[in-house]
Amino acid sequence: MAELHVELVAADRKVWSGDASLVVARTTSGDIGVMPGHQPLLGVLEPGAVVIRTAGESGEGTVSVAVHGGFISFADDKLSLVAEIAELSEEIDVSRAERALDRAKSEGDEAAERRAEVRMRAVAVR
């Protein structure tokens, strides 16, 4: 099966790197799925869950990442995602994210509410 190489980095660290058969991300133009052989692209990432269908010797799996803005670039079966903030779903404390969402709703803090919702969407894919 054809694969693409994925590098997902945040401002402060390398978040995930490996081979994948499909990556789904939210851009300013809508959700996009990138598979091997996709046309070259450059886009702006919207806050949302990035879902990576992994491939390789260890078999298939899924990696879910909460991404809070950034850029996506694809060419020659190499996908780069550069995020302002990125959190692997297993790094997210679900109860803390739920409390943050409740607090943001009660305080009317729309930005905090969006961040908490993105975390909850990433965890839902686990």
Side-chain angles (χ1 to χ4, degrees):
M1 174 191 288
E3 298 174 355
L4 56 103
H5 185 73
V6 179
E7 294 282 336
L8 195 157
V9 298
D12 60 343
R13 67 188 176 123
K14 182 184 215 176
V15 179
W16 191 87
S17 177
D19 293 325
S21 58
L22 170 68
V23 176
V24 178
R26 175 155 294 174
T27 70
T28 54
S29 300
D31 289 349
I32 185 168
V34 179
M35 297 175 70
H38 195 284
Q39 291 294 319
L41 73 91
L42 179 62
V44 176
L45 289 171
E46 286 286 310
V50 171
V51 179
I52 303 166
R53 301 283 183 221
T54 61
E57 294 177 13
S58 60
E60 292 191 21
T62 301
V63 174
S64 179
V65 185
V67 172
H68 306 276
F71 298 93
I72 183 171
S73 171
F74 181 77
D76 301 322
D77 285 333
K78 292 180 180 82
L79 180 68
S80 298
L81 298 120
V82 180
E84 295 171 23
I85 300 169
E87 303 166 279
L88 291 164
S89 63
E90 59 263 16
E91 297 172 341
I92 298 170
D93 180 331
V94 176
S95 61
R96 183 175 175 210
E98 288 171 340
R99 288 191 309 273
L101 181 57
D102 291 341
R103 185 174 51 254
K105 285 180 178 179
S106 69
E107 294 174 357
D109 186 341
E110 292 180 17
E113 187 175 340
R114 279 192 304 273
R115 287 190 303 272
E117 287 173 343
V118 166
R119 289 182 181 104
M120 296 303 295
R121 280 194 297 270
V123 170
V125 178
R126 279 190 197 172

